[in-house]
Amino acid sequence: MASIATTCSSGLILRRKESTTNAGSIFRLNIFAASKSRPIKAMASAPKRETDPKKRVVITGMGVVSVFGNDVDTFYDKLLEGQSGITLIDRFDSSTFTTRFAGQIRDFSSVGYIDGKNDRRLDDCWRYCLVAGKKALEDANLGPEILKSMDKTKIGVLVGSGMGGLSAFSTGVESLIQKGFKKISPFFIPYSITNMGSALLAIDTGLMGPNYSISTACATANYCFFSAANHIRRGDADIMVAGGTEAAINATGVGGFIACRALSQRNDEPHRASRPWDQNRDGFVIGEGSGVLIMESLEHATKRGANILGEYLGGGITCDAHHMTDPRKDGLGVSSCITKCLEDAGVSPEEVNYVNCHATSTLAGDLAEVNAIKKVFKDTSEIKMNGTKSMIGHGLGAAGGLEAIACIKAINTGWLHPTINQDNLEPLVDIDTVPNVKKQHEVNVAISNSFGFGGHNSVVAFAPFKP
């Protein structure tokens, strides 16, 4: 979603100071009251990068359900090709809708991951979660036989959703109105509520560690990564299955976002509708799917001989406290979130050379994010940024999960996927957006931005794993 704004109702002004030590550039963020000259102490200086193997968090598995299928390599290959997954909607009759296209998943298969009886009952949101979650566990060599020998009380699940089981909810309300409460399915409440993805995945796999769901609209998945990492750092868990899932491409979801005036209406060219930073953008394109990571302490991963795909360095979360949907043009809330992320990660701005942007293709949101990036990164000449949503649409609560996978694949392959539909770039966007064609790029530190309605901001940082 497009909200990446922030203000403080009391008129507080955020100012950033830099100092340099042997560890590199360190941040301090001071808050000054507009009506007072005395500064109020706020964030401490950034710590050095974590070295304790019990607290270092690595990525050992990934699982995806996307418009390009359920295989991580295929998903990223399609992104590298610059292929659009945006098509006309055929899941419901959208002929009277002002937006009639989406990043709709077709030919989804859960064979081997969900039994037939449950598969018929489940909302797609939970089907996507179960498949992505179990594929991530497989990728981490944590299949059912391996899990039997492990302490499952130290393995948790934290997969969030912005909307939850929207189809189950819509069907239940329809039954109530048309047939009365006695015709409501007994699965109406369980399959509607947002925590059910984490719950069902734990029930199927026996994972008994920390288990809940976070719902912060389109910032959801990054919030889940941030919290999951903190569970590992505190010793609550050795492994966390974390990410986001969403399935809101139905009449209720699409109709609701049309009412918000948030969606593109480029019905004659759906594949060209999602165009971050392009002057002719006219709104975001709704998408769906699930992206899940296996996050694990380095100590635990090393002991079991896991294949390490990358390292989670840190994250930041903030609230805009400004508006439900509108962004603040200067992106101040987002810049403070990026700063918090870098502090948590022990990273200086100079180390970051790749940003996977929120970049929804909305008029105000795209520029606000760029303004925020420029506030933090004074020299952007070495930075490349791209917009995954240009090809798969906006996965809402799943977006951060899908984009985290794109970040880690970029780290491992040395290739950045393009931002497609870059025909007429905004003049203010003078950072390399990887326009239309993939680029080779050795990623040093990547950050991934996600922002949501309500002013929820989340940023996470990943890097190649170095022992």
Side-chain angles (χ1 to χ4, degrees):
M1 299 178 191
S3 176
I4 57 171
T6 186
T7 61
C8 293
S9 58
S10 58
L12 298 182
I13 302 172
L14 297 178
R15 296 180 183 169
R16 175 178 164 273
K17 292 185 178 180
E18 287 189 18
S19 64
T20 304
T21 70
N22 292 334
S25 179
I26 293 180
F27 299 92
R28 289 184 177 89
L29 185 66
N30 293 327
I31 300 179
F32 292 84
S35 60
K36 297 177 183 276
S37 60
R38 181 175 58 85
I40 302 169
K41 291 181 68 177
M43 297 196 303
S45 57
K48 294 180 180 179
R49 194 171 298 182
E50 184 61 66
T51 58
D52 184 347
K54 292 182 179 180
K55 295 182 179 180
R56 287 182 69 181
V57 179
V58 295
I59 310 303
T60 56
M62 301 188 289
V64 70
V65 170
S66 77
V67 70
F68 296 135
N70 305 346
D71 178 76
V72 167
D73 290 338
T74 301
F75 168 70
Y76 199 62
D77 286 345
K78 295 291 187 183
L79 292 178
L80 289 178
E81 291 168 11
Q83 182 172 325
S84 174
I86 310 303
T87 55
L88 293 173
I89 295 169
D90 62 10
R91 186 173 294 164
F92 64 93
D93 181 7
S94 64
S95 59
T96 61
F97 284 42
T98 53
T99 295
R100 298 184 290 277
F101 56 91
Q104 178 187 315
I105 291 174
R106 290 178 166 80
D107 304 319
F108 171 74
S109 174
S110 63
V111 174
Y113 296 96
I114 308 174
D115 70 77
K117 185 176 181 181
N118 281 326
D119 194 44
R120 290 188 294 272
R121 290 173 173 171
L122 287 172
D123 187 284
D124 279 346
C125 190
W126 313 136
R127 297 170 76 218
Y128 298 164
C129 172
L130 286 170
V131 172
K134 290 181 180 181
K135 288 181 78 70
L137 286 166
E138 286 181 356
D139 189 46
N141 194 27
L142 293 170
E145 292 303 314
I146 299 294
L147 287 176
K148 284 180 182 178
S149 64
M150 301 183 73
D151 181 0
K152 294 182 181 180
T153 66
K154 298 287 284 184
I155 308 175
V157 185
L158 181 42
V159 180
S161 172
M163 311 286 279
L166 192 59
S167 291
F169 183 83
S170 300
T171 300
V173 172
E174 186 177 339
S175 296
L176 172 65
I177 293 171
Q178 294 182 357
K179 302 174 184 178
F181 78 93
K182 292 184 179 180
K183 295 299 181 180
I184 296 176
S185 165
F187 299 104
F188 168 47
I189 296 297
Y191 286 170
S192 296
I193 52 181
T194 56
N195 68 301
M196 200 48 64
S198 293
L200 290 171
L201 188 53
I203 290 167
D204 274 12
T205 56
L207 305 181
M208 298 175 66
N211 188 294
Y212 56 101
S213 172
I214 293 173
S215 185
T216 48
C218 304
T220 290
N222 278 359
Y223 270 75
C224 291
F225 296 141
F226 178 77
S227 296
N230 287 339
H231 281 299
I232 293 170
R233 289 171 170 174
R234 288 197 303 264
D236 302 334
D238 296 321
I239 300 172
M240 291 293 295
V241 184
T245 187
E246 204 77 88
I249 300 178
N250 53 39
T252 302
V254 176
F257 282 113
I258 289 174
C260 288
R261 301 180 182 179
L263 299 184
S264 168
Q265 297 184 15
R266 197 182 290 262
N267 293 296
D268 55 338
E269 294 182 303
H271 62 289
R272 293 174 56 79
S274 186
R275 44 199 316 111
W277 306 301
D278 189 86
Q279 292 185 53
N280 295 316
R281 67 195 182 282
D282 68 331
F284 80 79
V285 177
I286 191 171
E288 61 180 349
S290 181
V292 176
L293 303 180
I294 305 301
M295 305 178 74
E296 187 168 358
S297 75
L298 175 58
E299 180 183 64
H300 192 271
T302 302
K303 282 182 178 178
R304 71 180 187 89
N307 179 36
I308 296 175
L309 304 173
E311 184 167 3
Y312 167 92
L313 297 180
I317 56 176
T318 64
C319 180
D320 293 348
H322 171 62
H323 190 275
M324 286 193 301
T325 59
D326 288 349
R328 174 169 170 152
K329 291 181 181 179
D330 63 9
L332 189 57
V334 173
S335 62
S336 65
C337 191
I338 295 172
T339 298
K340 282 178 177 286
C341 172
L342 299 185
E343 288 183 341
D344 187 50
V347 167
S348 69
E350 294 76 21
E351 293 178 86
V352 177
N353 66 347
Y354 170 46
V355 182
N356 187 293
C357 290
H358 186 57
T360 60
S361 190
T362 58
L363 290 173
D366 285 7
L367 293 182
E369 183 176 12
V370 171
N371 286 337
I373 290 169
K374 289 181 178 180
K375 281 181 181 291
V376 178
F377 304 103
K378 301 305 182 183
D379 179 3
T380 59
S381 61
E382 300 299 318
I383 290 179
K384 298 188 186 303
M385 65 183 190
N386 57 9
T388 308
K389 296 179 182 73
S390 65
M391 289 172 278
I392 64 174
H394 190 351
L396 310 177
L402 295 164
E403 289 156 10
I405 290 172
C407 284
I408 294 164
K409 289 297 290 183
I411 287 169
N412 288 326
T413 64
W415 286 93
L416 301 183
H417 71 68
T419 308
I420 66 169
N421 301 321
Q422 301 282 273
D423 301 329
N424 193 12
L425 200 64
E426 286 278 7
L428 293 176
V429 181
D430 53 5
I431 306 172
D432 187 350
T433 64
V434 195
N436 301 315
V437 179
K438 68 182 180 180
K439 286 187 178 179
Q440 202 161 10
H441 186 61
E442 184 177 350
V443 178
N444 182 34
V445 174
I447 64 169
S448 180
N449 297 339
S450 289
F451 319 118
F453 279 4
H456 301 292
N457 304 315
S458 58
V459 181
V460 291
F462 299 101
F465 171 67
K466 297 177 181 177

